[in-house]
């Protein structure tokens, strides 16, 4: 079980929590960075912050479903944006905020960075989430 907290004596965050506390009997999943590539490895939405963010979220949701979780069970994210203009970060955050990630709300950090791993990539999101019950497919398959 996750208890999300917005601390009344701190500035109210826009769509995220200050802290999330997880009980020790909860399975946690530490998700690799979700990127704006389709299943064939093609960059989605070149130059388009919103389109790339939507693809990143779709990929994250697919990965979460594979482990018995979903966006509403995300505890924490780091959102990386190739940008120096706060307006570009806001464009990405608007898409994140409209997604199921803010159901909790989750804890989050939004960062402007110089570059990411794929040519033309503007957005990447890492996440920690509550996971479903253990299954035989949870073992490292190398895929």
């Amino acid at each position: 079980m996750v208890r999300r907290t917005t601390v009344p004596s701190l500035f109210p965050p826009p769509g995220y929590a200050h802290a999330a506390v997880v009980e020790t009997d909860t399975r946690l999943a530490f998700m690799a960075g979700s990127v704006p590539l389709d299943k064939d490895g093609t960059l989605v939405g070149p130059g388009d912050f919103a389109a790339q963010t939507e693809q990143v979220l779709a990929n994250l949701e697919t990965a979460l479903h594979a482990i018995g979780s979903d966006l509403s069970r995300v505890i924490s994210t780091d959102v990386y944006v190739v940008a120096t203009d706060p307006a570009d970060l806001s464009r990405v955050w608007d898409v994140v905020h409209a997604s199921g990630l803010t159901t909790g709300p989750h804890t989050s950090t939004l960062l402007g960075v110089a570059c990411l791993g794929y040519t033309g990539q503007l957005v990447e999101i890492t996440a920690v989430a509550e996971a479903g019950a253990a299954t035989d497919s949870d073992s490292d398959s190398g895929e």
Side-chain angles (χ1 to χ4, degrees), residues 31-35 124-127:
M31 308 303 290
S34 182
V35 298
E124 185 163 335
I125 297 176
T126 61

Side-chain angles (χ1 to χ4, degrees), residues 70-94:
D70 60 40
L71 292 176
S72 71
R73 296 178 69 193
V74 168
I75 298 163
S76 180
T77 61
D78 291 314
V79 180
Y80 301 93
V81 182
V82 176
T84 57
D85 184 348
D88 292 331
L89 285 112
S90 291
R91 279 189 261 292
V92 169
W93 187 252
D94 288 345

Side-chain angles (χ1 to χ4, degrees), residues 86-134:
D88 292 331
L89 285 112
S90 291
R91 279 189 261 292
V92 169
W93 187 252
D94 288 345
V95 177
V96 170
H97 190 264
S99 76
L101 280 173
T102 54
T103 302
H106 70 298
T107 61
S108 187
T109 299
L110 177 64
L111 304 159
V113 298
C115 72
L116 292 166
Y118 294 97
T119 301
Q121 180 183 0
L122 299 173
V123 181
E124 185 163 335
I125 297 176
T126 61
V128 177
E130 287 182 300

Side-chain angles (χ1 to χ4, degrees), residues 54-77:
E54 289 167 359
Q55 183 66 44
V56 164
L57 290 166
N59 290 346
L60 177 59
E61 190 166 24
T62 298
L64 288 165
H65 283 207
I67 59 158
S69 191
D70 60 40
L71 292 176
S72 71
R73 296 178 69 193
V74 168
I75 298 163
S76 180
T77 61

